[in-house]
Amino acid sequence: MELTASERHRLKKMAYGHKTPHQARQRATIVLLAARGRGNARIAADTHLHVDTVRRWRGRFAAGRMAALADRKRSGRPPTFTALQVAEVKALACQLPTESGTPLSRWSCPELAREAVTRDITETISASTVRRWLRSDALKPWQHRSWIFIRDPNFRDTAQRVLDLYVGNFEDTPLGEDEYVISADEKTSIQARCRCHPTLAPGQARAMRVNHTYGRGGALAYLAAYDIHRAEVFGRCEQTTGIVPFMKLVEQVMTSEPYTSAKRVFWIVDNGSSHRGKRAIDRLANRFPNAVMVHTPVHASWLNQIEIFFSIVQRKVVSPNDFTNLDEVRNRLRAFEDRYNATAQPFQWRFTTSDLDDLLARLDRQQPGRHEESSTALAA
């Protein structure tokens, strides 16, 4: 048997490779020994295989070369379930359980298997079989996404004002060097949970371990203002949220430079009770004439960049929550602000007015006359 250099190289990799399947290794060994001029009987003795097995794989390689060493297609066992049964189970997974009178909020694979038997779709079926069928069509009835109708009649115009400020424009006029944009909001109910046993640091092949039981040390609200173009955060901790705590945050920012002497400082806020409506706009303007409050649309806090900062605080500072008392929470938040301000860069905000128009157009095509807002799509 004659081998090319390429075939010999591939066969040696198969025969001596540590990750090669056992059967592939045996077949490659048979061919390599045959190429050395050995007979079938001797190869069978050296490999501890039956001589018929050696003859079969030697003949297959001679006829089809490397490709012939792979397993041939087999008919396999006859299918246990028909295509109709598979389709009926998938159709069941695409229905709400309540539509069939089942007292469930959503399907799981065991529940779908039980329901398929109850409906006489099949006599018996396992949850793993249902799971395999659903996976083939990427069906996950146990998951859900939330959505909400756009309620703000001026949604597009209100959102455009915010998006224009992010790129440095206001009412079609570029912002000057002495004009700034602040994104502000409150993060409520940050608890101090004192774990009943000390938290264990991570180790080799071991994650950090945090005891489940804890004692409550109270809760506080964290108010923060983020300069979106300078990537600087101003924060403060209060016992609760409200108009007074929010105005303290405004005072903290507006009494420091460069905001005190700025021509205009735009404050982007959502429609929370601390800064809602025309009264909040007038209250801010009366206290600081160079401050301009800009609201995001109703139910569109995702437009407020401070929410990105709060998500960073949640992941890097708060979770897992293990604080002895509220003073430790305050100190950790203040220290993180200093650390963040020393290294942070402005967020790369990619959602533009063009993206907004495309999104609203898609929503209109789905249901003309009414905008439906997908929270997952918008957050992306």
Side-chain angles (χ1 to χ4, degrees):
M1 181 177 295
E2 299 290 338
L3 296 177
T4 65
S6 175
E7 289 175 338
R8 189 178 298 277
H9 177 71
R10 292 176 61 188
L11 287 168
K12 284 184 177 180
K13 289 187 67 176
M14 291 174 60
Y16 305 119
H18 295 292
K19 297 183 179 180
T20 305
H22 180 65
Q23 289 182 337
R25 182 179 300 179
Q26 285 182 330
R27 298 166 190 174
T29 303
I30 291 172
V31 176
L32 287 172
L33 292 176
R36 296 177 186 177
R38 297 184 184 181
N40 292 342
R42 184 177 175 184
I43 295 175
D46 291 343
T47 58
H48 305 286
L49 296 172
H50 195 278
V51 66
D52 290 342
T53 302
V54 175
R55 185 180 299 110
R56 178 172 66 251
W57 289 108
R58 187 172 181 172
R60 286 191 186 181
F61 182 84
R65 311 308 288 183
M66 291 296 299
L69 295 182
D71 289 334
R72 291 176 177 174
K73 292 184 178 181
R74 303 174 183 176
S75 59
R77 186 182 65 180
T80 306
F81 302 96
T82 65
L84 178 59
Q85 289 174 317
V86 176
E88 287 179 336
V89 171
K90 290 182 178 180
L92 179 62
C94 294
Q95 299 176 6
L96 295 176
T98 53
E99 293 178 357
S100 61
T102 306
L104 298 173
S105 61
R106 47 189 169 171
W107 292 115
S108 65
C109 289
E111 293 291 349
L112 281 170
R114 187 178 298 111
E115 187 68 15
V117 174
T118 302
R119 296 191 179 196
D120 293 327
I121 295 176
T122 178
E123 292 183 359
T124 179
I125 188 174
S126 66
S128 59
T129 299
V130 173
R131 186 176 296 108
R132 184 174 66 253
W133 292 350
L134 299 184
R135 189 186 301 119
S136 66
D137 283 344
L139 295 175
K140 299 178 181 180
W142 50 86
Q143 294 184 356
H144 74 279
R145 292 181 178 181
S146 60
W147 56 272
I148 189 171
F149 285 111
I150 292 178
R151 295 169 49 191
D152 193 334
N154 299 317
F155 183 90
R156 197 225 176 267
D157 294 337
T158 307
Q160 183 176 359
R161 293 184 70 197
V162 176
L163 297 176
D164 285 346
L165 285 172
Y166 288 165
V167 297
N169 293 316
F170 184 71
E171 296 179 351
D172 299 327
T173 303
L175 298 181
E177 294 183 358
D178 57 347
E179 293 180 304
Y180 302 91
V181 181
I182 300 291
S183 174
D185 202 3
E186 306 95 350
K187 183 174 177 61
T188 60
S189 189
I190 300 180
Q191 299 185 42
R193 298 177 177 178
C194 182
R195 304 293 169 172
C196 296
H197 296 279
T199 297
L200 300 179
Q204 185 176 8
R206 186 192 72 203
M208 178 192 300
R209 297 182 179 179
V210 182
N211 182 242
H212 177 71
T213 56
Y214 56 86
R216 297 181 183 274
L220 53 78
Y222 179 54
L223 291 79
Y226 173 73
D227 188 322
I228 66 167
H229 295 138
R230 300 173 68 220
E232 187 172 359
V233 174
F234 303 86
R236 63 183 301 111
C237 296
E238 298 287 348
Q239 290 298 320
T240 184
T241 61
I243 295 176
V244 174
F246 178 74
M247 290 306 296
K248 289 181 180 179
L249 174 67
V250 175
E251 187 93 17
Q252 176 182 339
V253 176
M254 297 300 295
T255 54
S256 62
E257 292 293 347
Y259 309 105
T260 301
S261 56
K263 177 181 178 180
R264 284 187 299 186
V265 180
F266 297 92
W267 283 76
I268 299 176
V269 296
D270 60 17
N271 293 273
S273 58
S274 304
H275 33 69
R276 179 189 301 159
K278 185 67 165 54
R279 289 186 178 181
I281 296 175
D282 295 339
R283 184 167 52 247
L284 180 66
N286 291 335
R287 179 65 184 86
F288 298 100
N290 63 336
V292 180
M293 182 172 286
V294 178
H295 287 98
T296 63
V298 177
H299 293 314
S301 294
W302 53 272
L303 277 173
N304 205 342
Q305 287 196 23
I306 192 64
E307 301 296 342
I308 304 176
F309 175 74
F310 282 154
S311 71
I312 296 173
V313 170
Q314 181 65 37
R315 287 182 282 111
K316 294 190 174 184
V317 183
V318 178
S319 298
N321 195 316
D322 186 7
F323 299 99
T324 305
N325 50 50
L326 290 179
D327 288 337
E328 188 174 345
V329 178
R330 294 187 184 94
N331 294 335
R332 179 79 61 82
L333 289 170
R334 292 194 195 99
F336 180 75
E337 286 175 18
D338 295 337
R339 178 188 180 92
Y340 185 87
N341 290 335
T343 60
Q345 297 292 327
F347 298 131
Q348 298 298 315
W349 186 267
R350 295 186 175 88
F351 192 87
T352 64
T353 53
S354 297
D355 299 320
L356 178 66
D357 290 336
D358 292 341
L359 175 63
L360 295 179
R362 291 200 308 270
L363 298 178
D364 276 337
R365 286 195 298 269
Q366 292 177 7
Q367 188 170 356
R370 298 192 71 177
H371 293 313
E372 293 180 11
E373 173 183 330
S374 169
S375 59
T376 304
L378 293 178

